[in-house]
Amino acid sequence: MARFVFITGGVVSSLGKGLASAALGALLQARGYTVRLRKLDPYLNVDPGTMSPFEHGEVFVTDDGAETDLDLGHYERFTGVAARGTDSVSSGRIYSNVLEKERRGDYLGKTIQVIPHVTNEIKDFIDVGADEVDFMLCEIGGTVGDIEGLPFFEAIRQFAQEKPRGQCLFMHLTLLPYIKASGELKTKPTQHSVKELRSIGLAPDILVCRSEGPIPKKEREKLALFCNVRADAVIAAQDLKSIYEAPLAYHAEGLDQAVLDAFAISPAPRPDLTRWEDVVDRIRAPEGEVRVAVVGKYTQLEDAYKSIAEALTHGGMANRVKVRAEWIDSETFDREDVAPHLEGFHAILVPGGFGERGTEGKIKAAQYAREHKVPYLGICLGMQMAVIEAARNTADLKDAASEEFADIEAVETDDFTPVVYHLKEWVKGNAKVTRKKTDAKGGTMRLGAYDAVLTEGSRVAEVYGTTSIEERHRHRYEVDIRFREQLEDQGLCFSGMSPDGRLPEIVEWSDHPWFIGVQFHPELKSKPFAPHPLFADFVRAAKDQSRLV
Ligand code: GLN
């Protein structure tokens, strides 16, 4: 049976709980254990699928087609374990399950209450698939003391109580502020946060304290005494230059040892950290720099394109260069000329997105990349815009557009064919999926892992080193296969197709040094120790370009 580690946070938000959880997962793997990481989010949305990227950051999609919190991306990047839909849950999902059961009469007329009905639902979620791994790591979103988090804290308290003794461990992340005037690290907020936890029946076994610098012995002892943890279970989490330094930094601080000690695992298996030593070596000693322009819409919030930023970093690591990604708002090109903004970049990436705003700018960016022979990677909407650009400017299809933005009335008359259309029926495995344009917004897209077949001899087949791939999707619209011949005549090859040959998955310009558009999201599967081949080769192309510019 799995051992459970519950990770909570206090004092302030954004302390890097997700990162600490992911790094601990990586360290337990380095000791030979199997792990799975899970996120419990107190917000009331059923899933993050309908939340604005400006507000919540990127939506991370799993192979099984769930739209989840971006922390699951961290988990995958650090452990290589593919996340599942059952690894992410919110209050909204929990309550909606409970209410559905209530409507079905499953509770046999009982009065439905937070305890036990909501807490039982949470506990069931935590336990799903726990027998498959040695360690299940569950991160609770938000901060202790938040009203909406209470059912989750209560549920993990009950959960630990119901499991055999020694099966569960609580790890609490806090902040030690440094007061310049007195030159001191302050432990009081941490003490209060632990007091808050204890008032709801939870006693942390391990304290992870974020601080700017090292924690002196005196403060460690004070924290141990006042917070009732062992001195060697006070772990300092200092600011790092790169998140990928976290596993080694936490190991040096003794986090994995403290966890094994708390579970009384002795002797502790020796860790093999070579994977992380190599990752850190590649980050610390780049042999050059490439500049990549990311022309998107959600450029104000770094987290909106989290996986893309990370995948570019991984691509840099594969080529031993630092990738400097610069985010350009595509709406800029509605007003200004593209060239002065894109000149000097070694590559251009147009990421995914929704809605019309900024799309003409993306089309211009694709045109610039095609005409100036600058490496281009178009992801999802970035591929659709590249196809529209090709249709309008090379295939003489002046009206080419996406049904996503086209005038509905025009779409409904038969004489308009948008090139990118709303897909209403497709095949998943052996089953047919159907959707209507009027379906509710949440979860109506082509989501999750789908196979694609690549054309022998194409650039993508060479990049992947295979002709059959599986990648993750999240979109409603598709490039219309009816335009294939017309576009291929111009040199835009449809080099990746769905296995039934109906849905274009990849396009590439044959007479261009590196121009690839993909309908899926390769960034979701990239890892620092296994950079995604498309990102690795895109950065290689950027590196070649940097020698020309
Ligand atoms: N909005 C486009 C669609 O739904 C692209 C989505 C995306 O880029 N993820 O097809």
Side-chain angles (χ1 to χ4, degrees):
M1 199 207 302
R3 294 179 169 90
F4 294 84
V5 180
F6 293 103
I7 300 110
T8 58
V11 183
V12 291
S13 58
S14 309
L15 284 179
K17 251 189 312 179
L19 182 57
S21 309
L24 176 59
L27 289 175
L28 290 169
Q29 283 182 321
R31 299 233 187 207
Y33 295 109
T34 55
V35 299
R36 178 161 289 283
L37 286 108
R38 233 157 231 186
K39 178 91 192 274
L40 294 83
D41 267 310
Y43 53 72
L44 280 167
N45 303 62
V46 172
D47 63 42
T50 49
M51 288 160 95
S52 161
F54 285 123
E55 203 165 303
H56 193 72
E58 145 190 301
V59 174
F60 190 80
V61 180
T62 58
D63 281 335
D64 57 5
E67 298 179 280
T68 70
D69 189 84
L70 56 76
D71 271 321
L72 267 72
H74 277 317
Y75 302 164
E76 271 205 41
R77 285 188 281 274
F78 278 79
T79 63
V81 177
R84 299 178 186 151
T86 44
D87 293 331
S88 165
V89 81
S90 63
S91 290
R93 165 78 63 208
I94 295 284
Y95 278 96
S96 123
N97 289 356
V98 168
L99 293 176
E100 215 173 281
K101 287 184 183 169
E102 188 271 338
R103 292 289 86 186
R104 272 205 312 260
D106 291 5
Y107 297 117
L108 305 173
K110 288 247 179 312
T111 306
I112 312 304
Q113 296 180 297
V114 173
I115 305 171
H117 302 99
V118 169
T119 47
N120 283 351
E121 194 70 31
I122 299 173
K123 287 188 288 183
D124 289 348
F125 164 79
I126 295 169
D127 235 357
V128 173
D131 47 359
E132 294 169 25
V133 287
D134 299 321
F135 285 91
M136 182 71 86
L137 277 54
C138 298
E139 180 192 347
I140 318 289
T143 317
V144 58
D146 297 346
I147 290 178
E148 63 261 44
L150 277 173
F152 288 102
F153 287 99
E154 170 59 15
I156 60 174
R157 186 197 65 74
Q158 292 174 16
F159 188 92
Q161 200 58 251
E162 289 160 14
K163 289 282 170 192
R165 245 178 238 285
Q167 206 73 28
C168 298
L169 173 156
F170 296 95
M171 172 168 137
H172 190 55
L173 234 90
T174 69
L175 174 73
L176 296 185
Y178 178 73
I179 306 294
K180 264 206 196 107
S182 58
E184 281 177 314
L185 272 182
K186 289 300 189 188
T187 65
K188 193 66 92 189
T190 299
Q191 293 179 43
H192 277 292
S193 176
V194 171
K195 195 172 152 200
E196 181 84 38
L197 264 186
R198 289 165 78 181
S199 74
I200 51 174
L202 294 172
D205 302 282
I206 295 176
L207 274 185
V208 175
C209 303
R210 279 297 295 269
S211 66
E212 273 173 48
I215 310 178
K217 194 160 175 277
K218 190 175 123 245
E219 275 76 15
R220 261 178 214 270
E221 285 169 355
K222 192 168 169 188
L223 282 163
L225 181 64
F226 284 88
C227 300
N228 197 32
V229 296
R230 306 171 71 98
D232 51 14
V234 177
I235 308 295
Q238 291 183 52
D239 299 347
L240 300 169
K241 279 214 184 79
S242 157
I243 56 169
Y244 299 118
E245 294 174 3
L248 293 184
Y250 274 124
H251 175 70
E253 266 291 314
L255 175 63
D256 44 332
Q257 187 61 53
V259 168
L260 298 178
D261 287 348
F263 282 120
I265 297 174
S266 173
R270 288 173 70 84
D272 174 5
L273 297 165
T274 41
R275 168 185 276 186
W276 293 101
E277 282 157 359
D278 178 52
V279 162
V280 168
D281 177 60
R282 284 172 182 274
I283 287 193
R284 286 205 185 142
E287 285 157 10
E289 182 177 282
V290 296
R291 290 179 65 212
V292 178
V294 184
V295 182
K297 180 160 94 169
Y298 316 110
T299 47
Q300 297 101 313
L301 180 72
E302 209 181 297
D303 275 354
Y305 299 116
K306 190 75 201 156
S307 293
I308 288 187
E310 295 307 326
L312 282 171
T313 304
H314 307 160
M317 288 159 70
N319 292 284
R320 288 200 172 269
V321 290
K322 182 175 168 40
V323 176
R324 214 165 85 211
E326 291 175 39
W327 310 86
I328 299 175
D329 184 349
S330 55
E331 275 186 289
T332 313
F333 304 149
D334 291 346
R335 304 175 299 268
E336 293 166 39
D337 194 16
V338 187
H341 289 277
L342 293 181
E343 259 160 25
F345 280 103
H346 307 130
I348 297 168
L349 189 153
V350 175
F354 292 85
E356 183 168 18
R357 197 160 55 76
T359 49
E360 287 303 320
K362 291 178 184 178
I363 291 171
K364 285 183 192 160
Q367 182 180 8
Y368 178 91
R370 176 176 60 81
E371 288 174 353
H372 291 80
K373 304 250 183 263
V374 180
Y376 176 92
L377 175 58
I379 294 177
C380 208
L381 187 65
M383 167 201 182
Q384 297 172 355
M385 295 305 106
V387 171
I388 292 175
E389 190 281 315
R392 285 186 193 169
N393 300 329
T394 71
D396 207 22
L397 291 157
K398 296 273 174 287
D399 295 332
S402 168
E403 210 180 317
E404 186 173 6
F405 339 118
D407 171 6
I408 291 279
E409 273 154 37
V411 170
E412 272 151 15
T413 60
D414 280 344
D415 55 358
F416 175 72
T417 325
V419 176
V420 176
Y421 70 106
H422 186 246
L423 184 72
K424 298 178 189 82
E425 202 176 279
W426 67 91
V427 180
K428 178 153 186 123
N430 297 321
K432 201 156 88 179
V433 190
T434 44
R435 297 273 191 261
K436 288 197 293 295
K437 193 156 190 179
T438 46
D439 282 347
K441 282 273 182 279
T444 58
M445 287 182 268
R446 186 150 89 96
L447 279 169
Y450 283 85
D451 292 332
V453 183
L454 314 184
T455 310
E456 200 99 42
S458 62
R459 179 178 291 278
V460 278
E462 187 192 318
V463 168
Y464 274 97
T466 172
T467 52
S468 86
I469 59 164
E470 188 194 77
E471 293 281 5
R472 291 184 197 163
H473 291 245
R474 182 175 185 250
H475 54 102
R476 292 189 180 85
Y477 300 85
E478 301 280 344
V479 172
D480 197 327
I481 186 71
R482 285 177 292 175
F483 295 94
R484 179 175 188 163
E485 227 181 272
Q486 237 172 316
L487 290 164
E488 288 198 332
D489 282 349
Q490 302 307 315
L492 186 70
C493 300
F494 286 35
S495 53
M497 298 295 296
S498 60
D500 63 5
R502 291 172 60 182
L503 305 175
E505 299 277 18
I506 306 176
V507 295
E508 60 183 63
W509 278 107
S510 48
D511 60 346
H512 189 285
W514 210 101
F515 192 114
I516 295 176
V518 293
Q519 186 57 78
F520 46 81
H521 289 275
E523 72 275 19
L524 302 178
K525 296 215 321 195
S526 188
K527 285 142 197 116
F529 45 82
H532 190 286
L534 276 176
F535 278 88
D537 206 55
F538 176 59
V539 175
R540 184 206 47 77
K543 198 171 156 185
D544 288 350
Q545 182 77 7
S546 72
R547 299 204 178 102
L548 302 175
V549 180

